[in-house]
């Protein structure tokens, strides 16, 4: 058994993780802004990752659809404030992005963590991609964790799935919670 990462489980309470934003505020991940009652959290590798930039741009394109479903959106990385400021010069996003995700916070989220391949890539360990949907009870409703930048949820499919899940007529429970007995 590998002990370098501890995965979060569907249905578990989202851990208390606070990170800064460029607006000068500290946000607690998993807690929504009004009027939303769910949150989609995207953990991305950082400014050095072109696939992350592309994914954040794609996420921006579906943010209004997510908002119409009552789902708040936020992204976070281990980048510094300065790295995020430079990254935002290259991006157009419609949701807040936080920074300074610590190694302890990455571990609490059960993320895979990588070291840079060179100083040109970045200057700190960083989290590999993770996507978490936290429901109104601060429980993990959707969990997707990857160990590389090439595998991430397709966002239009995710939006469609969240629309299905959020429809009260479907009575769709948190999936993947079956416990093995004996």
């Amino acid at each position: 058994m590998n002990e370098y990462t501890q995965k979060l489980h569907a249905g578990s309470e989202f851990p208390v993780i606070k990170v800064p934003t460029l607006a000068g505020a500290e946000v607690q991940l998993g807690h929504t802004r009004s009027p939303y009652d769910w949150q989609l959290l995207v953990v991305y590798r950082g400014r050095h990752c072109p696939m992350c930039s592309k994914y954040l741009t794609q996420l921006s394109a579906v943010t209004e659809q997510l908002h119409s479903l009552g789902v708040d959106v936020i992204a976070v990385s281990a980048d510094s404030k300065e790295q995020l400021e430079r990254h935002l010069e290259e991006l157009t996003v419609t949701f807040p992005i936080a920074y300074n995700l610590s190694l302890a916070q990455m571990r609490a989220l059960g993320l895979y963590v990588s070291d840079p391949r060179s100083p040109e890539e970045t200057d700190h360990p960083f989290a590999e991609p993770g996507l978490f949907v936290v429901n109104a009870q601060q429980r993990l409703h959707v969990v997707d964790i990857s160990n590389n930048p090439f595998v991430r949820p397709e966002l239009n499919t995710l939006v469609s799935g969240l629309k299905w899940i959020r429809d009260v007529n479907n009575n769709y429970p948190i999936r993947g919670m079956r416990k093995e007995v004996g």
Side-chain angles (χ1 to χ4, degrees):
M1 180 169 133
N2 292 322
E3 296 186 20
Y4 58 86
T5 183
Q6 190 74 30
K7 301 293 172 243
L8 292 176
H9 297 278
S12 64
E13 189 171 336
F14 194 77
V16 175
I17 295 180
K18 295 180 181 180
V19 287
T21 65
L22 290 180
E26 183 177 71
V27 295
Q28 183 170 336
L29 301 177
H31 286 260
T32 61
R33 298 173 297 158
S34 183
Y36 313 109
D37 62 343
W38 284 38
Q39 185 181 77
L40 168 65
L41 165 64
V42 171
V43 179
Y44 69 101
R45 299 170 86 225
R47 177 179 180 261
H48 67 277
C49 177
M51 295 189 81
C52 293
S53 296
K54 181 179 178 183
Y55 198 75
L56 293 173
T57 298
Q58 292 169 345
L59 179 58
S60 192
V62 299
T63 298
E64 282 306 312
Q65 293 174 65
L66 290 162
H67 284 171
S68 73
L69 297 173
V71 180
D72 196 7
V73 178
I74 190 167
V76 65
S77 78
D79 278 355
S80 68
K81 180 179 182 182
E82 295 75 24
Q83 287 168 317
L84 176 55
E85 288 171 337
R86 287 195 313 258
H87 197 193
L88 287 175
E89 292 171 4
E90 306 161 11
L91 295 174
T92 302
V93 294
T94 56
F95 51 85
I97 299 181
Y99 62 94
N100 274 354
L101 191 67
S102 72
L103 283 169
Q105 292 168 327
M106 291 178 216
R107 283 188 203 97
L109 290 170
L111 298 166
Y112 290 99
V113 178
S114 293
D115 290 317
R117 294 180 303 149
S118 70
E120 289 75 34
E121 184 175 44
T122 191
D123 61 353
H124 55 80
F126 55 89
E128 293 295 342
L131 184 146
F132 305 92
V133 178
V134 183
N135 66 25
Q137 292 76 40
Q138 269 65 58
R139 300 266 175 215
L140 281 166
H141 213 95
V142 177
V143 180
D144 187 88
I145 296 172
S146 180
N147 71 321
N148 66 73
F150 311 114
V151 180
R152 302 172 201 236
E154 197 281 321
L155 290 167
N156 287 316
T157 302
L158 178 65
V159 169
S160 175
L162 289 175
K163 183 176 182 183
W164 174 263
I165 290 170
R166 301 276 345 238
D167 184 335
V168 296
N169 295 316
N170 293 327
N171 193 30
Y172 198 76
I174 298 172
R175 307 308 297 169
M177 294 180 50
R178 184 175 191 275
K179 293 181 171 90
E180 293 299 318
V181 178

